[in-house]
Amino acid sequence: SGSSAVVSRFLGTGYMWDNIRVIGGAYGGFCQFNPRDGVFSFLSYRDPNLAGSIDVYDGAADALLASAADMENDPDALKTAIIGAVADMDGALSPDQKGTAQFKRWLTRESPEQRQKYRDEVLNTTPADFKAFAERLKALKDPSSAVVSSKAAFEDAAKAGKEFTLKNVM
């Protein structure tokens, strides 16, 4: 739903930025939600702190629950999150980007009514949507992880209690 886009953007530009990029030292850290297939992903790159980043991902649901509670008392914080998601939808596009967007809509048979429904969901996002998203994250039973990194980073993560199955590709 559109509310998932609001929550995902909020999480990526706040919690993820602060904890993965600023505190953890990664060159980038973000999350993304694909509304077409429902896949939600955490990502970081040039990340010197694999174990710490996994802990940040694991703490995202609790951070969202805290944010939902804060938004109950601070509607401006919710409005700011919604405005950010609207900006993602309505950003300026070059002619070639407009063509690509229209082509993708045509390929997926996305109608103006579907886009309006999605926009309405974004605009009507509530703190309860943040809480529901957090609860879905907490309910994940077997989330998958894929990491491309050095062997040393995996060894350091293992020392911190993070276990991975390694596959050498080079």
Side-chain angles (χ1 to χ4, degrees), residues 10-157:
F10 174 85
L11 193 60
T13 58
Y15 176 77
M16 295 292 293
W17 176 266
D18 292 345
N19 290 285
I20 300 290
R21 171 94 166 107
V22 176
I23 295 170
Y27 190 73
F30 55 98
C31 57
Q32 63 186 28
F33 173 72
N34 184 329
R36 285 184 173 70
D37 60 18
V39 172
F40 180 75
S41 305
F42 291 110
L43 302 106
S44 67
Y45 55 97
R46 296 185 64 185
D47 190 343
N49 189 10
L50 176 57
S53 293
I54 299 293
D55 289 339
V56 169
Y57 302 155
D58 290 344
D62 290 330
L64 282 177
L65 289 172
S67 294
D70 291 344
M71 287 177 184
E72 292 286 351
N73 300 317
D74 184 6
D76 287 342
L78 177 60
K79 288 178 190 173
T80 299
I82 291 169
I83 289 168
V86 169
D88 287 345
M89 295 184 323
D90 290 345
L93 299 175
S94 66
D96 65 312
Q97 290 170 319
K98 288 178 186 178
T100 299
Q102 281 301 111
F103 182 59
K104 287 179 181 177
R105 289 175 184 152
W106 178 78
L107 285 174
T108 61
R109 300 187 187 325
E110 182 182 291
S111 69
E113 294 80 16
Q114 289 169 315
R115 288 196 311 279
Q116 185 61 52
K117 179 180 181 285
Y118 184 80
R119 178 178 296 279
D120 291 342
E121 291 168 350
V122 166
L123 293 172
N124 294 314
T125 299
T126 67
D129 294 314
F130 278 72
K131 183 178 179 189
F133 196 101
E135 289 169 352
R136 285 193 307 270
L137 283 178
K138 280 185 167 287
L140 290 174
K141 297 295 180 207
D142 292 315
S144 61
S145 298
V147 180
V148 178
S149 192
S150 67
K151 189 171 182 179
F154 285 108
E155 290 168 352
D156 288 345

